[in-house]
Amino acid sequence: MNMPVEAAMVEYLYQKASASGSPISGTFELTPLCNMNCSMCYVRLSKEEQTARGELKSAEEWLNLARRCKDAGMLFLLITGGEPFTHPEIRTIIEELHRMGFILTINTNGTMIDEETVSWLKKVPPARINVTLYGADNDTYKRLCRCPDGFSKADKAIMLLKENGINIKINCSVTPYNADDLPEIISYAKRNEIVIQPTAYMFPSNKKSTETNNEFRFSPEKAAYYTAYIDYLINGKDKFLSFSKDAVIPADNDDNCGKTGEGIKCRAGKCSFWITWDGQILPCGMFPRNAEKNAFEGSFDELWAYTKDMTDKIRLPADCAECRLKKECRACAAMVISENGCFDKAPEYRCRYVSSFYTERNRLINEITHKEDN
Amino acid sequence: MKIRGEFITRQILDDTVVLPVGNTAIEFNNMIMLNSVSLVIWQCLENDVSFDDILKAVTDNFEVSQEQAVADIREFLDGMRSYNLLDE
Ligand code: SF4
Ligand code: SF4
């Protein structure tokens, strides 16, 4: 029975945890290391860069932290990286976390999952594995991820996981480097009956320039076009055209801007948190990595209180509060801070993305109908 | 009858959540939320029990009519059967 954990129960628990400020959901970013090297990656460090910044935490350190998080009420746990399967003690970590009673999700590029990994995973199956696809063939993986057999490996992992009854989702960040592969990535997911979630809006890399012409992501207008294109490819022409009559921009998060001076609306820092590989506790992984607390020391209750306090102090830009597009925009606190480095002005890239969406969608509609006429 | 599979029970705020462990998580990739009555039924089913044993536990623990208790237990057991979580 390859079914997902029921959405209604999950929503109910999240709402309750948000209302009472209980940390029901956590992310452990086990490592910044990765066996691939994708051009647009905002997390990956080389071994040298990582060593200069600090040691990786051991299984025992992560598991001790997990025990403290469990006592504080954590139920949902996302394991991410870098590539988590590069962590030298990944199996000990997953086995123990599974036994502790968390609803585990693992983010992976899939390329390190083979037959042997899957037969091990079957003994401690996570609730879901999110496999990110970067392209639809090895050429794209070679170009974008410097991994010439990346697609073959990821494809094999997806097939093995599916055959063995492990629930999978495909994630995909659409960038100028792999946009041509998008139709094939989506039909791959459809052919194999796997849920897929591509996104064309990408956070700016926190390692590189935050200029809007950041070469690793689209211009805001192109990102808007591709958001519509994803909608078209996933839903098919008829649904896309009928949704387009009234539907708004497909949501890419659960947040939105509030009134002037209002605090943030999403779950970050209300009932969810993120621990970076070097032990910083953040409301969400997209926040700047300058937390003062070390999650591997001290009481978790204190850490959580610190995170909630940090989140409570955030005030969204007045520009957003007054913006006529705010309902559709759903710009979240992490977008504002990562685009701007501060919370007092509107994130320009996002504004351009949102305000060009309808023009770009119409451009796509014209292309589709024009193609038909010819 | 008895629970089929391996589970772990957790208290999350004031809810009881039951999660599958090991191979059970492949067959049943979901969670179960228990209210106070279904928690008693679940606890009974951790051992091999009869319908009447469960009925007695429910009526001993809650002020509920015999009919209501029978209906509640049947509903819960049917739910478990539909997911193949009961050894009978
Ligand atoms: S696979 Fe993911 S973590 Fe690894 S380099 Fe690519 S984007 Fe970064
Ligand atoms: S369009 Fe710009 S100003 Fe308006 S809500 Fe979005 S980010 Fe804020």
Side-chain angles (χ1 to χ4, degrees):
Chain A
M1 209 180 330
N2 193 347
M3 61 185 179
V5 172
E6 237 155 81
M9 282 193 277
V10 171
E11 189 51 39
Y12 162 85
L13 287 168
Y14 264 113
Q15 277 184 13
K16 225 164 149 179
S18 267
S20 61
S22 173
I24 199 166
S25 168
T27 298
F28 288 178
E29 182 190 278
L30 295 187
T31 172
L33 302 178
C34 185
N35 61 321
M36 302 214 293
N37 188 358
C38 305
S39 306
M40 73 300 172
C41 182
Y42 58 83
V43 178
R44 184 187 186 277
L45 297 178
S46 66
K47 185 70 194 156
E48 294 68 42
E49 288 168 319
Q50 173 253 302
T51 314
R53 292 189 199 191
E55 285 308 311
L56 289 186
K57 304 295 177 191
S58 67
E60 205 32 54
E61 286 172 295
W62 284 111
L63 294 171
N64 272 332
L65 175 63
R67 283 179 205 110
R68 292 189 289 137
C69 295
K70 180 180 172 181
D71 291 343
M74 180 172 78
L75 174 63
F76 303 99
L77 175 57
L78 171 68
I79 298 297
T80 189
E83 172 50 50
F85 283 94
T86 64
H87 192 288
E89 295 178 287
I90 183 70
R91 294 199 179 190
T92 314
I93 296 173
I94 299 294
E95 284 166 16
E96 263 320 293
L97 292 175
H98 180 79
R99 274 184 215 114
M100 275 186 219
F102 296 117
I103 298 182
L104 275 186
T105 304
I106 305 176
N107 279 353
T108 174
N109 62 34
T111 59
M112 294 176 73
I113 298 178
D114 60 11
E115 284 88 350
E116 202 270 320
T117 323
V118 173
S119 64
W120 162 74
L121 270 171
K122 275 179 80 176
K123 295 182 200 132
V124 285
R128 193 172 74 204
I129 297 197
N130 296 330
V131 180
T132 306
L133 273 187
Y134 296 91
D137 60 32
N138 284 330
D139 286 345
T140 310
Y141 271 76
K142 188 174 167 197
R143 229 178 37 243
L144 182 65
C145 309
R146 298 171 194 97
C147 184
D149 55 356
F151 181 76
S152 303
K153 286 181 170 164
D155 170 41
K156 184 175 167 190
I158 289 171
M159 294 308 144
L160 283 169
L161 291 166
K162 197 176 165 231
E163 278 161 24
N164 285 280
I166 296 176
N167 185 33
I168 351 170
K169 186 177 120 194
I170 295 177
N171 283 336
C172 171
S173 298
V174 191
T175 73
Y177 287 79
N178 62 359
D180 290 347
D181 289 24
L182 184 61
E184 179 46 30
I185 294 175
I186 291 178
S187 54
Y188 173 89
K190 284 188 177 175
R191 261 195 323 274
N192 292 297
E193 297 174 336
I194 301 169
V195 176
I196 180 164
Q197 189 175 33
T199 40
Y201 170 84
M202 272 215 345
F203 280 84
S205 163
N206 62 13
K207 291 192 303 180
K208 297 165 186 123
S209 129
T210 56
E211 294 294 302
T212 53
N213 61 357
N214 187 326
E215 62 172 303
F216 301 109
R217 57 178 182 166
F218 290 121
S219 69
E221 294 73 21
K222 265 268 171 265
Y225 175 89
Y226 274 97
T227 298
Y229 190 43
I230 290 167
D231 194 13
Y232 163 64
L233 292 173
I234 289 190
N235 293 309
K237 189 180 121 216
D238 292 345
K239 271 197 195 153
F240 168 70
L241 291 177
S242 80
F243 287 168
S244 297
K245 290 199 187 86
D246 42 29
V248 292
I249 307 173
D252 46 15
N253 67 7
D254 64 351
D255 198 359
N256 54 44
C257 292
K259 298 189 187 106
T260 309
E262 236 183 29
I264 74 171
K265 298 237 183 237
C266 71
R267 290 164 179 160
K270 298 256 172 54
C271 67
S272 77
F273 61 92
W274 182 298
I275 311 284
T276 65
W277 66 275
D278 55 354
Q280 297 183 50
I281 181 161
L282 305 172
C284 115
M286 301 302 156
F287 272 67
R289 295 170 174 230
N290 53 10
E292 291 156 20
K293 295 277 180 198
N294 180 352
F296 293 92
E297 288 165 7
S299 94
F300 188 80
D301 289 342
E302 259 171 47
L303 286 165
W304 177 237
Y306 162 84
T307 312
K308 282 202 287 192
D309 195 46
M310 181 156 90
T311 312
D312 272 352
K313 288 192 185 122
I314 296 170
R315 291 292 173 269
L316 292 162
D319 290 343
C320 292
E322 285 150 22
C323 173
R324 70 192 162 82
L325 296 169
K326 73 175 181 189
K327 273 222 171 69
E328 293 149 60
C329 169
R330 302 165 75 93
C332 74
M335 275 176 201
V336 177
I337 186 87
S338 61
E339 293 284 353
N340 283 342
C342 65
F343 284 110
D344 29 313
K345 59 181 200 298
E348 194 214 332
Y349 181 98
R350 183 72 178 183
C351 298
R352 277 174 54 193
Y353 166 85
V354 172
S355 52
S356 62
F357 180 75
Y358 296 101
T359 315
E360 294 302 324
R361 187 169 65 183
N362 284 339
R363 185 195 310 281
L364 176 64
I365 292 172
N366 282 337
E367 284 170 14
I368 298 166
T369 38
H370 190 70
K371 213 159 106 204
E372 219 168 53
D373 294 344
N374 289 331
Chain B
M1 63 186 106
K2 195 172 187 283
I3 294 163
R4 194 179 148 270
E6 200 189 337
F7 293 89
I8 183 164
T9 304
R10 289 203 47 200
Q11 191 66 32
I12 302 294
L13 296 169
D14 46 13
D15 292 296
T16 306
V17 174
V18 179
L19 304 172
V21 185
N23 209 269
T24 309
I26 299 254
E27 285 156 34
F28 180 74
N29 182 16
N30 209 330
M31 65 175 152
I32 302 169
M33 286 181 71
L34 301 175
N35 61 25
S36 50
V37 177
S38 49
L39 177 59
V40 168
I41 306 176
W42 183 267
Q43 284 165 341
C44 288
L45 288 166
E46 286 174 338
N47 301 303
D48 199 357
V49 286
S50 67
F51 190 94
D52 286 346
D53 296 331
I54 305 174
L55 184 59
K56 180 168 185 322
V58 171
T59 46
D60 282 353
N61 279 284
F62 299 95
E63 280 191 24
V64 58
S65 69
Q66 188 89 356
E67 295 74 46
Q68 187 58 51
V70 167
D72 288 349
I73 299 166
R74 283 215 174 113
E75 191 187 345
F76 187 78
L77 294 178
D78 284 346
M80 288 191 61
R81 280 186 196 108
S82 71
Y83 287 115
N84 199 16
L85 297 180
L86 212 53
D87 264 339
E88 294 181 269

